[in-house]
Amino acid sequence: MTQTVIEYLLARLKEIGIKDIFGVPGDYAFPVNDAFCNDPDFKWIGCCNELNAAYAADGYARIKGKSAVCTTYGVGELSAINGIAGSYAENLPVFHIVGIPKCSVQRNGNLIHHSLGNGEFDLFHKMTQPVVCASTILSAENAVSEVERCINAALTKKQPVYIAVPADEALKELGCTKPHPLPTPASDKATLDTVIGLIIERLEKAETAIAMVGALIGRYELHKPMLKFIDLSGIPFTSLFMAKGTLSETHPNFIGVYNGRILDEKVRETVESSDLVISFGTIRSDINTGAFTVKLDPNHEIKIHPDRVCIGHAVYHNIMMEEVLHELCNRVGKRFLPMPMAPQGLGEVVGAPEGEITAASLYPRIERFFAAGDIIMGETGTPSMGLVNARLPEDAVFFNQTLWGSIGWATPAAFGAALAAPKRRTLLITGEGAHQMTVQEICQFARFGLKPIIICVNNDGYLIERLLCKDPYIYYNDLAQWNYSKLPEALGMAGWFSAKVTTNRELDAALEKSAESDCGCYIEVVTGMMESPEMGKVLNEIVVKGPGWKA
Protein backbone atom coordinates (compact mmCIF):
# COMPACT_ATOMS: atom_id res chain seq x y z
CA MET A 1 0.00 0.00 0.00
CA THR A 2 1.42 3.35 -1.04
CA GLN A 3 1.87 6.15 1.47
CA THR A 4 1.86 9.91 1.10
CA VAL A 5 4.62 12.11 2.48
CA ILE A 6 2.61 13.13 5.52
CA GLU A 7 1.39 9.57 6.15
CA TYR A 8 4.96 8.33 6.22
CA LEU A 9 6.04 11.07 8.63
CA LEU A 10 3.16 10.27 10.98
CA ALA A 11 3.82 6.54 10.78
CA ARG A 12 7.45 7.03 11.80
CA LEU A 13 6.52 9.37 14.66
CA LYS A 14 4.17 6.72 15.98
CA GLU A 15 6.86 4.06 15.71
CA ILE A 16 9.25 6.06 17.91
CA GLY A 17 6.51 6.63 20.49
CA ILE A 18 5.12 10.09 19.72
CA LYS A 19 1.32 10.24 19.89
CA ASP A 20 0.58 13.73 21.31
CA ILE A 21 1.15 16.75 19.06
CA PHE A 22 1.28 20.24 20.55
CA GLY A 23 0.59 23.13 18.22
CA VAL A 24 -1.41 25.96 16.74
CA PRO A 25 -3.05 25.45 13.30
CA GLY A 26 -2.48 27.64 10.28
CA ASP A 27 -3.54 27.58 6.65
CA TYR A 28 -0.15 26.52 5.26
CA ALA A 29 -0.15 23.69 7.78
CA PHE A 30 -3.72 22.51 7.15
CA PRO A 31 -2.66 19.31 5.32
CA VAL A 32 -0.43 18.45 8.29
CA ASN A 33 -3.04 19.51 10.87
CA ASP A 34 -5.72 17.46 9.07
CA ALA A 35 -3.51 14.39 9.00
CA PHE A 36 -2.86 14.53 12.75
CA CYS A 37 -6.50 15.11 13.63
CA ASN A 38 -7.81 12.42 11.27
CA ASP A 39 -5.43 9.76 12.55
CA PRO A 40 -7.03 8.00 15.56
CA ASP A 41 -3.60 7.20 16.99
CA PHE A 42 -2.71 10.87 17.44
CA LYS A 43 -4.03 13.46 19.86
CA TRP A 44 -3.88 17.10 18.78
CA ILE A 45 -3.07 19.36 21.75
CA GLY A 46 -4.07 22.84 20.64
CA CYS A 47 -2.23 25.51 22.64
CA CYS A 48 -2.88 29.21 23.19
CA ASN A 49 0.13 30.27 21.10
CA GLU A 50 3.14 28.71 19.43
CA LEU A 51 5.66 29.71 22.10
CA ASN A 52 3.55 28.02 24.75
CA ALA A 53 3.22 24.98 22.49
CA ALA A 54 7.01 24.73 22.23
CA TYR A 55 7.40 25.10 26.00
CA ALA A 56 4.73 22.42 26.54
CA ALA A 57 6.55 20.08 24.15
CA ASP A 58 9.75 20.75 26.13
CA GLY A 59 8.05 19.76 29.39
CA TYR A 60 6.53 16.67 27.79
CA ALA A 61 9.94 15.56 26.47
CA ARG A 62 11.41 15.78 29.98
CA ILE A 63 8.97 13.06 31.04
CA LYS A 64 8.56 10.95 27.89
CA GLY A 65 12.01 11.45 26.32
CA LYS A 66 10.77 13.05 23.09
CA SER A 67 7.88 15.18 21.77
CA ALA A 68 6.51 17.05 18.77
CA VAL A 69 5.13 20.50 18.06
CA CYS A 70 3.43 21.66 14.86
CA THR A 71 3.25 25.26 13.62
CA THR A 72 2.57 27.15 10.44
CA TYR A 73 5.04 29.00 8.24
CA GLY A 74 6.68 32.26 9.27
CA VAL A 75 4.64 33.74 12.09
CA GLY A 76 4.01 30.38 13.77
CA GLU A 77 7.49 28.88 13.58
CA LEU A 78 9.19 32.11 14.64
CA SER A 79 6.88 32.40 17.63
CA ALA A 80 7.99 28.90 18.67
CA ILE A 81 11.71 29.38 18.09
CA ASN A 82 12.52 30.58 21.63
CA GLY A 83 11.03 27.42 23.07
CA ILE A 84 12.86 25.29 20.50
CA ALA A 85 16.13 27.03 21.38
CA GLY A 86 15.58 26.14 25.03
CA SER A 87 15.10 22.49 24.11
CA TYR A 88 18.29 22.63 22.04
CA ALA A 89 20.30 24.15 24.90
CA GLU A 90 18.91 21.65 27.40
CA ASN A 91 19.19 18.55 25.18
CA LEU A 92 15.58 17.62 24.53
CA PRO A 93 14.53 15.93 21.25
CA VAL A 94 11.54 17.95 20.04
CA PHE A 95 10.29 17.40 16.50
CA HIS A 96 9.25 20.80 15.10
CA ILE A 97 6.95 20.14 12.15
CA VAL A 98 6.16 23.21 10.02
CA GLY A 99 3.59 23.51 7.27
CA ILE A 100 4.94 25.79 4.55
CA PRO A 101 3.56 27.25 1.27
CA LYS A 102 3.18 25.11 -1.83
CA CYS A 103 6.31 24.65 -3.94
CA SER A 104 4.44 26.09 -6.94
CA VAL A 105 3.74 29.30 -5.01
CA GLN A 106 7.36 29.55 -3.96
CA ARG A 107 8.62 29.05 -7.53
CA ASN A 108 6.37 31.85 -8.79
CA GLY A 109 7.74 34.25 -6.19
CA ASN A 110 4.27 35.48 -5.24
CA LEU A 111 3.88 37.94 -2.37
CA ILE A 112 1.97 35.95 0.22
CA HIS A 113 0.88 36.38 3.83
CA HIS A 114 3.25 35.29 6.62
CA SER A 115 6.22 36.10 4.37
CA LEU A 116 8.56 39.10 4.40
CA GLY A 117 7.28 40.13 0.99
CA ASN A 118 10.67 39.75 -0.68
CA GLY A 119 10.11 36.45 -2.51
CA GLU A 120 12.58 34.56 -0.30
CA PHE A 121 10.84 31.55 1.17
CA ASP A 122 13.71 29.74 2.85
CA LEU A 123 14.62 32.50 5.31
CA PHE A 124 12.74 31.03 8.25
CA HIS A 125 14.26 27.62 7.61
CA LYS A 126 17.68 29.28 7.76
CA MET A 127 16.77 31.17 10.95
CA THR A 128 15.95 27.97 12.82
CA GLN A 129 19.07 26.04 11.82
CA PRO A 130 21.29 27.25 14.71
CA VAL A 131 18.82 25.85 17.27
CA VAL A 132 18.22 22.40 15.79
CA CYS A 133 20.60 19.50 15.21
CA ALA A 134 19.09 18.67 11.80
CA SER A 135 16.57 20.24 9.42
CA THR A 136 14.87 19.39 6.16
CA ILE A 137 12.15 20.36 3.69
CA LEU A 138 10.29 17.23 2.66
CA SER A 139 9.35 16.18 -0.86
CA ALA A 140 7.96 12.99 -2.34
CA GLU A 141 11.47 12.08 -3.51
CA ASN A 142 13.39 12.71 -0.27
CA ALA A 143 10.81 12.13 2.48
CA VAL A 144 11.88 8.62 3.48
CA SER A 145 15.60 9.30 3.74
CA GLU A 146 15.19 12.76 5.28
CA VAL A 147 12.71 11.67 7.94
CA GLU A 148 15.09 8.87 8.93
CA ARG A 149 18.03 11.26 9.06
CA CYS A 150 16.16 13.69 11.30
CA ILE A 151 14.89 10.96 13.63
CA ASN A 152 18.40 9.58 13.93
CA ALA A 153 19.83 13.02 14.71
CA ALA A 154 17.17 13.92 17.28
CA LEU A 155 17.42 10.65 19.19
CA THR A 156 21.21 10.47 19.02
CA LYS A 157 22.01 14.07 19.91
CA LYS A 158 18.96 14.63 22.14
CA GLN A 159 18.13 17.94 20.47
CA PRO A 160 15.30 19.35 18.33
CA VAL A 161 14.93 18.86 14.59
CA TYR A 162 13.03 20.97 12.04
CA ILE A 163 10.86 19.24 9.44
CA ALA A 164 9.10 21.48 6.91
CA VAL A 165 6.27 20.06 4.82
CA PRO A 166 5.15 22.03 1.72
CA ALA A 167 1.36 21.99 1.43
CA ASP A 168 1.39 20.37 -2.02
CA GLU A 169 4.08 17.79 -1.21
CA ALA A 170 2.30 16.59 1.93
CA LEU A 171 -0.32 14.64 -0.03
CA LYS A 172 1.94 13.27 -2.79
CA GLU A 173 2.76 9.58 -2.87
CA LEU A 174 6.30 8.66 -1.88
CA GLY A 175 8.78 8.45 -4.73
CA CYS A 176 11.11 6.23 -2.73
CA THR A 177 9.99 3.80 -0.04
CA LYS A 178 13.23 2.20 1.21
CA PRO A 179 15.11 4.13 3.89
CA HIS A 180 18.89 4.12 3.88
CA PRO A 181 20.14 2.36 7.02
CA LEU A 182 21.87 4.81 9.34
CA PRO A 183 24.67 3.68 11.64
CA THR A 184 24.11 3.72 15.38
CA PRO A 185 26.90 5.53 17.25
CA ALA A 186 29.21 3.04 18.93
CA SER A 187 32.38 3.28 20.95
CA ASP A 188 35.79 2.44 19.59
CA LYS A 189 36.37 -0.84 21.44
CA ALA A 190 40.08 -0.43 22.04
CA THR A 191 39.66 3.10 23.36
CA LEU A 192 36.73 2.03 25.53
CA ASP A 193 38.77 -0.81 27.06
CA THR A 194 41.64 1.57 27.79
CA VAL A 195 39.39 4.16 29.41
CA ILE A 196 37.50 1.65 31.56
CA GLY A 197 40.81 0.28 32.81
CA LEU A 198 42.03 3.77 33.72
CA ILE A 199 38.78 4.63 35.55
CA ILE A 200 38.79 1.37 37.54
CA GLU A 201 42.45 1.88 38.45
CA ARG A 202 41.82 5.43 39.66
CA LEU A 203 38.75 4.33 41.60
CA GLU A 204 40.57 1.48 43.34
CA LYS A 205 43.37 3.80 44.45
CA ALA A 206 41.09 6.56 45.76
CA GLU A 207 40.48 6.72 49.50
CA THR A 208 37.56 9.07 48.93
CA ALA A 209 35.48 9.35 45.75
CA ILE A 210 32.27 10.99 44.56
CA ALA A 211 30.04 10.42 41.53
CA MET A 212 28.59 13.66 40.18
CA VAL A 213 25.33 13.11 38.29
CA GLY A 214 24.55 15.55 35.47
CA ALA A 215 21.38 16.33 33.56
CA LEU A 216 22.48 14.36 30.50
CA ILE A 217 22.04 11.12 32.46
CA GLY A 218 18.33 11.94 32.44
CA ARG A 219 18.25 13.14 28.83
CA TYR A 220 19.91 9.95 27.60
CA GLU A 221 17.62 7.89 29.85
CA LEU A 222 20.52 6.27 31.69
CA HIS A 223 18.98 6.36 35.17
CA LYS A 224 19.12 2.57 35.65
CA PRO A 225 22.77 1.95 34.67
CA MET A 226 23.82 5.06 36.61
CA LEU A 227 22.06 3.81 39.73
CA LYS A 228 23.44 0.31 39.19
CA PHE A 229 27.00 1.68 39.08
CA ILE A 230 26.43 3.55 42.36
CA ASP A 231 25.00 0.46 44.04
CA LEU A 232 27.73 -1.85 42.78
CA SER A 233 30.58 0.53 43.59
CA GLY A 234 29.22 1.87 46.89
CA ILE A 235 30.31 5.35 45.81
CA PRO A 236 28.49 8.41 47.27
CA PHE A 237 26.87 10.69 44.71
CA THR A 238 25.87 14.30 44.30
CA SER A 239 24.07 16.12 41.51
CA LEU A 240 24.33 19.54 39.99
CA PHE A 241 21.33 21.91 40.15
CA MET A 242 20.24 21.08 36.60
CA ALA A 243 20.18 17.37 37.46
CA LYS A 244 18.28 17.62 40.75
CA GLY A 245 16.02 14.60 41.10
CA THR A 246 17.58 12.69 38.21
CA LEU A 247 18.35 9.90 40.69
CA SER A 248 16.36 9.33 43.85
CA GLU A 249 17.28 11.72 46.64
CA THR A 250 16.16 9.09 49.15
CA HIS A 251 19.04 6.83 48.10
CA PRO A 252 21.42 6.27 51.05
CA ASN A 253 24.43 7.30 48.92
CA PHE A 254 23.00 10.73 48.01
CA ILE A 255 24.87 13.55 49.78
CA GLY A 256 22.99 16.59 48.41
CA VAL A 257 23.18 19.03 45.50
CA TYR A 258 26.59 20.53 44.71
CA ASN A 259 26.60 24.12 43.49
CA GLY A 260 30.00 25.47 44.47
CA ARG A 261 29.96 28.16 47.16
CA ILE A 262 26.28 28.93 46.57
CA LEU A 263 24.77 26.01 48.48
CA ASP A 264 25.54 23.52 51.25
CA GLU A 265 29.05 24.04 52.60
CA LYS A 266 29.32 20.42 53.79
CA VAL A 267 28.54 19.14 50.30
CA ARG A 268 31.10 21.55 48.82
CA GLU A 269 33.82 20.41 51.20
CA THR A 270 33.03 16.73 50.58
CA VAL A 271 33.13 17.05 46.81
CA GLU A 272 36.11 19.37 46.49
CA SER A 273 38.27 17.43 48.98
CA SER A 274 37.67 14.02 47.36
CA ASP A 275 40.58 12.11 45.87
CA LEU A 276 38.44 11.38 42.82
CA VAL A 277 35.32 12.95 41.30
CA ILE A 278 33.71 11.07 38.42
CA SER A 279 31.19 13.30 36.65
CA PHE A 280 28.57 11.83 34.34
CA GLY A 281 26.89 14.05 31.74
CA THR A 282 27.34 17.38 33.53
CA ILE A 283 26.80 20.79 31.95
CA ARG A 284 29.03 23.45 33.54
CA SER A 285 26.93 26.58 32.97
CA ASP A 286 26.91 29.64 35.25
CA ILE A 287 23.83 28.88 37.37
CA ASN A 288 24.63 25.17 37.36
CA THR A 289 28.05 25.83 38.89
CA GLY A 290 27.09 28.44 41.49
CA ALA A 291 28.19 31.38 39.32
CA PHE A 292 31.36 29.44 38.39
CA THR A 293 32.33 28.87 42.04
CA VAL A 294 32.71 25.12 41.45
CA LYS A 295 36.38 24.35 42.11
CA LEU A 296 37.52 20.90 41.04
CA ASP A 297 41.13 19.93 40.38
CA PRO A 298 41.27 18.54 36.81
CA ASN A 299 43.83 15.98 37.97
CA HIS A 300 41.31 14.60 40.45
CA GLU A 301 38.34 14.49 38.08
CA ILE A 302 37.16 12.14 35.35
CA LYS A 303 34.51 13.68 33.08
CA ILE A 304 32.26 11.30 31.17
CA HIS A 305 30.40 13.05 28.34
CA PRO A 306 27.93 11.54 25.84
CA ASP A 307 30.65 10.85 23.25
CA ARG A 308 34.01 11.30 25.00
CA VAL A 309 35.82 10.90 28.31
CA CYS A 310 38.28 13.32 29.88
CA ILE A 311 40.79 11.92 32.38
CA GLY A 312 42.83 14.73 33.78
CA HIS A 313 43.96 16.70 30.72
CA ALA A 314 43.66 13.76 28.32
CA VAL A 315 40.60 13.45 26.09
CA TYR A 316 39.40 10.11 24.68
CA HIS A 317 36.98 10.49 21.78
CA ASN A 318 34.47 8.10 20.21
CA ILE A 319 33.31 6.62 23.50
CA MET A 320 29.58 6.53 24.28
CA MET A 321 28.51 7.35 27.83
CA GLU A 322 25.98 4.52 27.83
CA GLU A 323 28.67 1.96 27.00
CA VAL A 324 31.02 3.44 29.59
CA LEU A 325 28.37 2.96 32.28
CA HIS A 326 27.57 -0.59 31.21
CA GLU A 327 31.25 -1.57 31.18
CA LEU A 328 31.85 0.05 34.55
CA CYS A 329 28.97 -1.95 35.99
CA ASN A 330 30.55 -5.14 34.60
CA ARG A 331 33.98 -4.46 36.10
CA VAL A 332 33.62 -2.30 39.19
CA GLY A 333 34.10 -3.79 42.64
CA LYS A 334 32.31 -2.79 45.85
CA ARG A 335 34.14 -0.08 47.75
CA PHE A 336 33.41 0.80 51.35
CA LEU A 337 34.08 4.50 50.97
CA PRO A 338 33.41 7.10 53.67
CA MET A 339 29.72 8.08 53.45
CA PRO A 340 29.00 11.71 54.36
CA MET A 341 25.96 12.60 56.42
CA ALA A 342 22.68 12.44 54.49
CA PRO A 343 21.27 15.82 53.41
CA GLN A 344 18.79 17.33 55.85
CA GLY A 345 16.62 19.21 53.38
CA LEU A 346 15.26 22.65 54.23
CA GLY A 347 14.83 22.01 57.93
CA GLU A 348 11.93 22.59 60.26
CA VAL A 349 8.93 24.71 59.32
CA VAL A 350 9.25 28.19 60.82
CA GLY A 351 7.09 31.29 61.08
CA ALA A 352 4.29 32.30 63.46
CA PRO A 353 0.81 31.27 62.24
CA GLU A 354 -0.35 34.87 61.87
CA GLY A 355 3.04 36.06 60.60
CA GLU A 356 3.66 37.20 57.05
CA ILE A 357 4.93 34.59 54.62
CA THR A 358 8.69 34.76 54.13
CA ALA A 359 11.08 32.73 52.00
CA ALA A 360 12.18 30.97 55.17
CA SER A 361 8.61 29.97 56.03
CA LEU A 362 7.43 29.23 52.47
CA TYR A 363 9.92 26.79 50.98
CA PRO A 364 10.14 24.31 53.90
CA ARG A 365 6.34 24.10 53.78
CA ILE A 366 6.44 23.35 50.05
CA GLU A 367 9.11 20.70 50.71
CA ARG A 368 6.85 18.99 53.26
CA PHE A 369 3.99 19.18 50.78
CA PHE A 370 5.89 17.10 48.21
CA ALA A 371 4.74 13.50 47.84
CA ALA A 372 6.20 10.34 46.30
CA GLY A 373 5.98 10.35 42.51
CA ASP A 374 5.41 14.10 42.15
CA ILE A 375 6.46 15.94 39.00
CA ILE A 376 7.76 19.31 40.22
CA MET A 377 8.29 22.13 37.72
CA GLY A 378 10.22 25.05 39.19
CA GLU A 379 10.26 28.31 37.27
CA THR A 380 13.57 29.91 36.36
CA GLY A 381 14.69 32.25 39.14
CA THR A 382 13.88 32.29 42.84
CA PRO A 383 11.01 29.73 42.83
CA SER A 384 13.38 26.94 41.78
CA MET A 385 16.30 28.35 43.80
CA GLY A 386 14.22 28.10 46.95
CA LEU A 387 13.78 24.36 46.39
CA VAL A 388 17.24 23.30 45.23
CA ASN A 389 18.11 21.92 48.70
CA ALA A 390 14.65 20.45 49.33
CA ARG A 391 14.77 16.68 49.87
CA LEU A 392 12.62 15.01 47.23
CA PRO A 393 10.48 11.99 48.15
CA GLU A 394 10.84 8.63 46.41
CA ASP A 395 10.23 8.76 42.63
CA ALA A 396 9.62 12.52 42.68
CA VAL A 397 11.31 14.46 39.87
CA PHE A 398 12.26 18.12 39.67
CA PHE A 399 12.80 20.22 36.56
CA ASN A 400 13.84 23.78 35.91
CA GLN A 401 15.37 25.49 32.90
CA THR A 402 18.83 26.06 34.36
CA LEU A 403 20.77 26.82 31.18
CA TRP A 404 18.35 28.57 28.80
CA GLY A 405 16.53 30.31 31.65
CA SER A 406 13.57 31.71 29.73
CA ILE A 407 11.14 33.01 32.34
CA GLY A 408 7.60 31.91 31.56
CA TRP A 409 8.78 28.44 30.51
CA ALA A 410 7.50 26.59 33.57
CA THR A 411 3.74 27.22 33.18
CA PRO A 412 3.32 25.61 29.73
CA ALA A 413 6.09 23.09 30.48
CA ALA A 414 4.11 21.94 33.53
CA PHE A 415 1.10 21.42 31.28
CA GLY A 416 3.21 19.33 28.89
CA ALA A 417 4.65 17.30 31.77
CA ALA A 418 1.22 16.68 33.26
CA LEU A 419 -0.12 15.53 29.89
CA ALA A 420 2.83 13.14 29.56
CA ALA A 421 2.01 11.50 32.92
CA PRO A 422 -1.64 12.26 33.76
CA LYS A 423 -1.75 9.72 36.61
CA ARG A 424 1.02 11.50 38.52
CA ARG A 425 0.59 14.70 40.53
CA THR A 426 2.15 17.74 38.87
CA LEU A 427 3.22 20.78 40.88
CA LEU A 428 4.04 24.12 39.28
CA ILE A 429 6.00 26.56 41.47
CA THR A 430 6.31 29.90 39.68
CA GLY A 431 6.71 33.59 40.31
CA GLU A 432 4.10 36.06 39.13
CA GLY A 433 6.49 37.84 36.75
CA ALA A 434 7.21 34.69 34.76
CA HIS A 435 3.59 33.58 35.12
CA GLN A 436 2.30 36.71 33.38
CA MET A 437 4.22 35.79 30.22
CA THR A 438 2.49 32.47 29.56
CA VAL A 439 -0.35 32.27 32.08
CA GLN A 440 -3.15 31.65 29.58
CA GLU A 441 -1.88 28.09 29.12
CA ILE A 442 -3.22 27.06 32.55
CA CYS A 443 -6.65 26.81 30.92
CA GLN A 444 -5.38 23.71 29.11
CA PHE A 445 -5.11 21.79 32.37
CA ALA A 446 -8.88 22.00 32.79
CA ARG A 447 -9.52 21.45 29.09
CA PHE A 448 -7.68 18.13 29.15
CA GLY A 449 -8.92 17.00 32.56
CA LEU A 450 -5.61 17.47 34.40
CA LYS A 451 -5.47 18.38 38.09
CA PRO A 452 -2.17 20.07 38.94
CA ILE A 453 -1.34 22.17 41.97
CA ILE A 454 -0.10 25.63 41.02
CA ILE A 455 1.73 27.80 43.55
CA CYS A 456 2.21 31.35 42.27
CA VAL A 457 4.57 33.43 44.43
CA ASN A 458 3.48 37.09 44.21
CA ASN A 459 6.38 39.25 45.36
CA ASP A 460 5.44 42.40 43.46
CA GLY A 461 7.83 42.23 40.53
CA TYR A 462 10.78 40.42 39.02
CA LEU A 463 12.61 39.30 42.16
CA ILE A 464 15.46 37.51 40.40
CA GLU A 465 16.10 40.66 38.35
CA ARG A 466 16.03 42.80 41.49
CA LEU A 467 18.70 40.53 42.97
CA LEU A 468 20.96 40.69 39.93
CA CYS A 469 20.83 44.37 38.98
CA LYS A 470 22.49 47.32 40.72
CA ASP A 471 19.24 49.08 41.67
CA PRO A 472 16.67 46.48 42.81
CA TYR A 473 13.87 49.03 42.92
CA ILE A 474 14.36 50.41 39.42
CA TYR A 475 11.07 50.76 37.55
CA TYR A 476 11.67 48.08 34.90
CA ASN A 477 11.37 45.39 37.58
CA ASP A 478 7.81 46.44 38.47
CA LEU A 479 4.72 44.68 37.15
CA ALA A 480 1.03 45.33 36.64
CA GLN A 481 -0.82 43.85 39.61
CA TRP A 482 -3.26 41.05 38.83
CA ASN A 483 -5.78 39.15 40.92
CA TYR A 484 -3.94 35.89 40.36
CA SER A 485 -6.18 33.72 42.50
CA LYS A 486 -9.11 34.64 40.25
CA LEU A 487 -7.39 33.48 37.05
CA PRO A 488 -8.83 29.94 37.12
CA GLU A 489 -12.37 31.32 37.18
CA ALA A 490 -11.60 33.87 34.47
CA LEU A 491 -10.08 31.18 32.25
CA GLY A 492 -13.01 28.80 32.51
CA MET A 493 -11.43 26.30 34.91
CA ALA A 494 -14.63 25.20 36.61
CA GLY A 495 -14.45 23.30 39.88
CA TRP A 496 -10.91 24.33 40.80
CA PHE A 497 -9.89 25.22 44.34
CA SER A 498 -8.32 28.67 44.42
CA ALA A 499 -6.94 30.75 47.28
CA LYS A 500 -4.90 33.87 48.00
CA VAL A 501 -2.77 33.54 51.14
CA THR A 502 -0.85 36.21 53.03
CA THR A 503 -0.07 34.47 56.37
CA ASN A 504 1.53 31.18 57.31
CA ARG A 505 -1.76 29.93 58.75
CA GLU A 506 -3.57 30.65 55.48
CA LEU A 507 -0.76 28.95 53.54
CA ASP A 508 -0.97 25.85 55.73
CA ALA A 509 -4.73 25.68 55.28
CA ALA A 510 -4.48 26.08 51.48
CA LEU A 511 -1.82 23.37 51.19
CA GLU A 512 -3.87 21.01 53.36
CA LYS A 513 -6.97 21.66 51.25
CA SER A 514 -4.98 21.08 48.04
CA ALA A 515 -3.58 17.79 49.32
CA GLU A 516 -7.11 16.55 50.04
CA SER A 517 -8.80 17.84 46.87
CA ASP A 518 -9.59 15.81 43.80
CA CYS A 519 -9.41 18.86 41.55
CA GLY A 520 -6.95 21.37 40.16
CA CYS A 521 -5.65 23.82 42.77
CA TYR A 522 -4.26 27.35 42.47
CA ILE A 523 -2.60 29.12 45.40
CA GLU A 524 -1.45 32.72 45.17
CA VAL A 525 1.22 33.23 47.83
CA VAL A 526 1.88 36.88 48.73
CA THR A 527 5.33 37.70 50.11
CA GLY A 528 7.45 40.80 50.59
CA MET A 529 9.13 42.34 47.56
CA MET A 530 12.67 41.18 48.47
CA GLU A 531 11.82 37.83 50.12
CA SER A 532 14.51 35.70 48.50
CA PRO A 533 15.69 32.16 49.25
CA GLU A 534 19.29 31.78 50.34
CA MET A 535 20.65 30.90 46.88
CA GLY A 536 19.26 34.15 45.46
CA LYS A 537 20.85 36.13 48.29
CA VAL A 538 24.26 34.58 47.69
CA LEU A 539 24.02 35.26 43.95
CA ASN A 540 23.19 38.85 44.84
CA GLU A 541 26.33 39.04 46.98
CA ILE A 542 28.47 37.72 44.15
CA VAL A 543 27.02 40.20 41.66
CA VAL A 544 27.38 43.16 44.04
CA LYS A 545 30.81 42.26 45.42
CA GLY A 546 32.26 40.64 42.33
CA PRO A 547 33.81 37.24 41.54
CA GLY A 548 36.41 37.55 44.31
CA TRP A 549 33.75 37.48 47.01
CA LYS A 550 33.94 34.51 49.38
CA ALA A 551 31.23 33.05 51.57
Side-chain angles (χ1 to χ4, degrees), residues 239-278:
S239 67
L240 294 182
F241 186 14
M242 193 173 180
K244 180 176 176 60
T246 297
L247 298 187
S248 173
E249 294 190 354
T250 63
H251 193 286
N253 292 35
F254 179 63
I255 67 167
V257 175
Y258 173 55
N259 201 239
R261 293 202 308 265
I262 295 290
L263 293 178
D264 193 312
E265 181 63 20
K266 291 180 180 178
V267 175
R268 185 189 71 80
E269 289 178 359
T270 300
V271 173
E272 295 180 6
S273 65
S274 290
D275 295 340
L276 178 63
V277 175
I278 309 177

Side-chain angles (χ1 to χ4, degrees), residues 99-418:
I100 69 174
K102 294 179 179 179
C103 293
S104 58
V105 171
Q106 296 185 46
R107 283 193 296 269
N108 293 335
N110 297 337
L111 298 185
I112 59 171
H113 62 286
H114 299 343
S115 76
L116 298 181
N118 58 6
E120 296 185 55
F121 294 96
D122 62 346
L123 290 175
F124 309 128
H125 178 205
K126 292 177 180 177
M127 288 180 187
T128 202
Q129 286 178 352
V131 296
V132 295
C133 66
S135 64
T136 189
I137 299 175
L138 297 185
S139 68
E141 289 71 29
N142 74 7
V144 172
S145 61
E146 285 296 274
V147 167
E148 297 310 308
R149 181 177 66 86
C150 287
I151 288 175
N152 181 272
L155 300 186
T156 300
K157 298 180 180 180
K158 304 299 180 183
Q159 289 176 317
V161 294
Y162 174 100
I163 300 175
V165 186
D168 50 355
E169 293 290 327
L171 303 180
K172 287 184 179 179
E173 291 186 358
L174 296 175
C176 172
T177 57
K178 292 184 178 180
H180 300 291
L182 296 170
T184 301
S187 300
D188 178 84
K189 190 177 185 307
T191 308
L192 178 63
D193 288 343
T194 298
V195 165
I196 295 300
L198 291 171
I199 296 173
I200 295 295
E201 180 184 3
R202 292 281 298 274
L203 188 54
E204 288 176 346
K205 289 181 178 179
E207 293 185 9
T208 56
I210 293 288
M212 184 184 296
V213 179
L216 296 181
I217 289 296
R219 303 298 192 264
Y220 281 83
E221 300 178 80
L222 298 176
H223 310 77
K224 289 183 179 179
M226 184 74 247
L227 193 58
K228 184 178 180 181
F229 168 73
I230 288 166
D231 288 336
L232 289 172
S233 66
I235 191 171
F237 76 94
T238 183
S239 67
L240 294 182
F241 186 14
M242 193 173 180
K244 180 176 176 60
T246 297
L247 298 187
S248 173
E249 294 190 354
T250 63
H251 193 286
N253 292 35
F254 179 63
I255 67 167
V257 175
Y258 173 55
N259 201 239
R261 293 202 308 265
I262 295 290
L263 293 178
D264 193 312
E265 181 63 20
K266 291 180 180 178
V267 175
R268 185 189 71 80
E269 289 178 359
T270 300
V271 173
E272 295 180 6
S273 65
S274 290
D275 295 340
L276 178 63
V277 175
I278 309 177
S279 62
F280 295 84
T282 60
I283 297 172
R284 306 293 175 89
S285 65
D286 50 359
I287 303 301
N288 210 29
T289 59
F292 301 118
T293 61
V294 161
K295 300 297 180 187
L296 298 175
D297 185 340
N299 295 313
H300 290 213
E301 184 179 11
I302 296 173
K303 298 178 183 177
I304 301 172
H305 298 287
D307 58 357
R308 67 191 186 281
V309 173
C310 304
I311 301 179
H313 296 285
V315 182
Y316 298 83
H317 293 281
N318 300 319
I319 306 177
M320 302 299 112
M321 183 163 63
E322 180 176 7
E323 294 182 63
V324 171
L325 271 170
H326 284 302
E327 286 302 312
L328 284 175
C329 289
N330 290 335
R331 294 179 56 178
V332 73
K334 188 81 170 183
R335 298 293 312 281
F336 295 95
L337 295 163
M339 194 63 60
M341 183 182 296
Q344 300 304 303
L346 299 181
E348 294 298 318
V349 167
V350 300
E354 302 307 326
E356 294 181 351
I357 299 168
T358 64
S361 69
L362 171 62
Y363 292 105
R365 282 174 163 81
I366 295 177
E367 178 188 41
R368 291 200 171 194
F369 184 70
F370 292 157
D374 278 350
I375 297 171
I376 304 155
M377 308 298 285
E379 181 58 86
T380 298
T382 52
S384 55
M385 291 177 183
L387 296 169
V388 65
N389 274 341
R391 191 88 184 271
L392 300 182
E394 185 67 26
D395 295 327
V397 292
F398 179 93
F399 297 104
N400 80 321
Q401 206 183 45
T402 315
L403 176 54
W404 187 240
S406 183
I407 65 170
W409 159 86
T411 297
F415 164 57

